[in-house]
Amino acid sequence: MEEDYHYELVDLLEDESFIAFINHPSAKEEFHWSSRIKEGKINKEDYELAAYCIHSFHSDARSLTGEEVAQLWANIQQKMRRQKVVRLHPLYLRFSIAVASVLLLMGLFFTQYLKEEKLPTAHFLNIEDVALPEEKTEDIQIISSNDNRMSLKEKNADIVYNDKGEAEVNSQVVAQTKSSDKEDTPGAIGYSQIIVPNGRHVSLTLSDGTKVWLNASSRVVYPSVFGNAGKREIFIEGEAYIEVSPDVNRPFVVKTNQMEVQALGTAFNVTAYNDEVSQTVVLVNGLVSIQTKVEGSQPATLSPNQLFRLTGTEILLKDVKVEQYTSWKEGIYVYHNEQFSLILKRLAHYYGISIEFTPQAGKMTFTGKLDLKEDAGRVLKGFSNTAPVTCRKENNIYYFSTNLKNCLPLK
């Protein structure tokens, strides 16, 4: 179809490339169709419903629950009533027959399973489309797939899911928030999320045993229970260190807004802050494959002690000392030839404080190690004793500027 074409539900169900993408998704195709949604050329509800119809048609229909079938049938009827003009061309005849088959199949199930009770809203979201809550808070937030919310005032939280989707938060059992991930009905997925504000940190154990350490100012989206087949997917914003539980039949995929990292059983660090120009992956052990959304890019494979960095459309692959990128989860910040602006941004995230600096100070580079268990003020003012900068605090904001007097070694 033409680039400026506006798709409707029927168009998607008849589009061969869309059907192929839903059945065999790839990062590049996902970027293409997501772009159409953002550009307003595809209604998001139409996209989600079409994807669900295609999945349902190609899967065992008996796996659909009565509630899912009833909701799907109601949505289809509503959409079809809205889209009064249906275009049929010989080229699309085969796909139209497939669409009609799906509708007939759904109609038969609808007759059998429809109940009088109110049906819940079905979820057809891709994991990266789960929205960040509009309201901001200084507490750690846990939002389940059914929108139950829990706020934690502690600076650090330990959250553990068992294989049934039951969660413990700081050793206290909370209500079950089970959701499924591509288990029997791909496309109907319920995702939970954890939002970690500045100055807070979370350790998360997923239902498969994978461990995720979330740095400050980060977010993770995940199913509380992974399906028995297919990929195990989570979405990361910010920074996370991940130790993947091995499972050769279910690759583990970490998505950001710019790339996908796939692993079977390994440990690696992902950095994908929205306010930073680069996203990085550092591999500690095992093997990972990385696919970016850069047009024409090929998958990159990392070996242990290697870094992958994506900056715009530029990709860098190099050997590194992994401690520099993973020590934050132990409360240590190691930096080597790092711009002061990035160091200060990371410290602002970690401690949950406001830091401002002059352009000249931000361009300076430093090498060193900081104990993040120390008080923020003591850490920041320490730069004034060892570097050509001056630190002052005013109205709870730390200000940095250059100070050439500090260029001489201290006696």
Side-chain angles (χ1 to χ4, degrees):
M1 290 188 177
E2 298 178 0
E3 290 296 314
D4 59 349
Y5 190 88
H6 288 262
Y7 296 74
E8 294 181 349
L9 174 62
V10 173
D11 299 321
L12 293 171
L13 290 171
E14 294 177 344
D15 190 281
E16 189 169 1
S17 63
F18 181 76
I19 294 171
F21 159 65
I22 295 301
N23 289 324
H24 306 286
S26 68
K28 292 181 182 178
E29 285 297 306
E30 184 177 325
F31 178 73
H32 168 80
W33 292 105
S34 297
S35 297
R36 295 293 171 269
I37 295 174
K38 292 178 181 178
E39 293 166 1
K41 295 174 182 176
I42 300 177
N43 180 282
K44 192 172 182 179
E45 291 182 1
D46 289 347
Y47 173 95
E48 294 165 355
L49 186 55
Y52 192 56
C53 285
I54 293 168
H55 275 306
S56 301
F57 180 70
H58 286 281
S59 63
D60 181 1
R62 288 172 296 177
S63 65
L64 296 175
T65 67
E67 289 186 351
E68 291 167 341
V69 172
Q71 182 67 51
L72 177 60
W73 181 243
N75 288 347
I76 290 173
Q77 287 180 312
Q78 183 181 15
K79 289 292 180 184
M80 290 306 184
R81 282 195 296 269
R82 251 184 237 163
Q83 299 172 6
K84 296 179 181 178
V85 179
V86 179
R87 294 169 301 284
L88 264 182
H89 304 285
L91 179 63
Y92 301 134
L93 181 59
R94 179 162 60 92
F95 301 105
S96 299
I97 293 172
V99 173
S101 300
V102 172
L103 297 179
L104 176 60
L105 179 63
M106 294 300 102
L108 292 173
F109 272 98
F110 178 78
T111 303
Q112 180 179 358
Y113 287 108
L114 182 60
K115 299 179 181 179
E116 294 182 358
E117 60 191 72
K118 183 178 179 181
L119 299 176
T121 301
H123 296 282
F124 307 100
L125 289 175
N126 293 319
I127 193 167
E128 60 270 31
D129 294 331
V130 177
L132 182 69
E134 293 183 2
E135 65 275 12
K136 293 185 178 180
T137 174
E138 295 181 354
D139 298 334
I140 296 169
Q141 294 185 72
I142 305 173
I143 305 176
S144 69
S145 58
N146 55 8
D147 207 34
N148 286 336
R149 303 190 178 206
M150 174 181 292
S151 294
L152 305 176
K153 297 189 178 297
E154 297 90 336
K155 285 195 173 182
N156 300 289
D158 182 33
I159 303 167
V160 179
Y161 284 86
N162 63 20
D163 58 5
K164 296 179 181 179
E166 299 164 335
E168 287 189 2
V169 178
N170 295 332
S171 300
Q172 299 295 317
V173 177
V174 298
Q176 184 172 342
T177 57
K178 184 176 181 178
S179 60
S180 60
D181 175 26
K182 296 186 179 180
E183 189 166 1
D184 293 315
T185 55
I189 305 171
Y191 292 114
S192 301
Q193 59 179 314
I194 297 173
I195 298 99
V196 186
N198 283 345
R200 308 297 173 94
H201 308 90
V202 166
S203 63
L204 168 67
T205 302
L206 298 169
S207 63
D208 65 336
T210 293
K211 295 183 178 180
V212 181
W213 285 263
L214 288 166
N215 207 346
S217 192
S218 299
R219 178 171 76 114
V220 59
V221 182
Y222 59 96
S224 53
V225 173
F226 289 109
N228 295 324
K231 297 178 180 179
R232 298 169 287 167
E233 290 185 345
I234 67 173
F235 177 79
I236 293 290
E237 287 179 356
E239 185 168 25
Y241 179 84
I242 303 160
E243 291 182 352
V244 178
S245 178
D247 188 335
V248 295
N249 296 317
R250 297 184 300 168
F252 195 94
V253 176
V254 176
K255 291 187 173 185
T256 75
N257 62 357
Q258 295 186 37
M259 60 186 178
E260 290 185 11
V261 185
Q262 180 168 308
L264 292 175
T266 184
F268 58 98
N269 197 83
V270 175
T271 305
Y273 282 108
N274 290 332
D275 61 352
E276 295 182 7
V277 296
S278 297
Q279 296 194 1
T280 64
V281 178
V282 175
L283 183 61
V284 178
N285 58 60
L287 195 69
V288 298
S289 175
I290 304 168
Q291 177 65 65
T292 74
K293 294 182 178 180
V294 176
E295 185 175 356
S297 66
Q298 298 298 318
T301 301
L302 283 190
S303 298
N305 302 309
Q306 283 190 321
L307 171 143
F308 174 95
R309 175 177 288 137
L310 175 64
T311 307
T313 60
E314 295 184 1
I315 294 173
L316 172 67
L317 186 66
K318 68 175 183 177
D319 294 333
V320 295
K321 293 182 178 180
V322 297
E323 294 81 7
Q324 180 180 342
Y325 301 89
T326 63
S327 59
W328 61 265
K329 71 184 186 71
E330 309 297 339
I332 302 294
Y333 182 14
V334 180
Y335 48 95
H336 181 74
N337 287 334
E338 199 78 74
Q339 275 205 335
F340 198 36
S341 59
L342 181 58
I343 295 172
L344 294 179
K345 282 183 180 179
R346 294 287 175 83
L347 293 175
H349 285 317
Y350 193 92
Y351 286 113
I353 56 178
S354 296
I355 304 176
E356 296 185 7
F357 48 86
T358 62
Q360 295 85 351
K363 292 177 182 178
M364 302 177 75
T365 59
F366 297 106
T367 297
K369 179 187 295 187
L370 297 174
D371 184 353
L372 299 177
K373 294 184 286 293
E374 296 260 1
D375 174 74
R378 184 173 181 179
V379 169
L380 293 174
K381 290 179 180 178
F383 283 106
S384 297
N385 299 325
T386 58
V389 294
T390 295
C391 174
R392 63 183 177 85
K393 184 179 180 182
E394 186 176 318
N395 297 327
N396 290 322
I397 300 176
Y398 290 89
Y399 295 90
F400 279 90
S401 58
T402 55
N403 181 4
L404 297 182
K405 293 181 180 179
N406 285 358
C407 287
L408 297 176
L410 295 176
K411 295 184 179 179

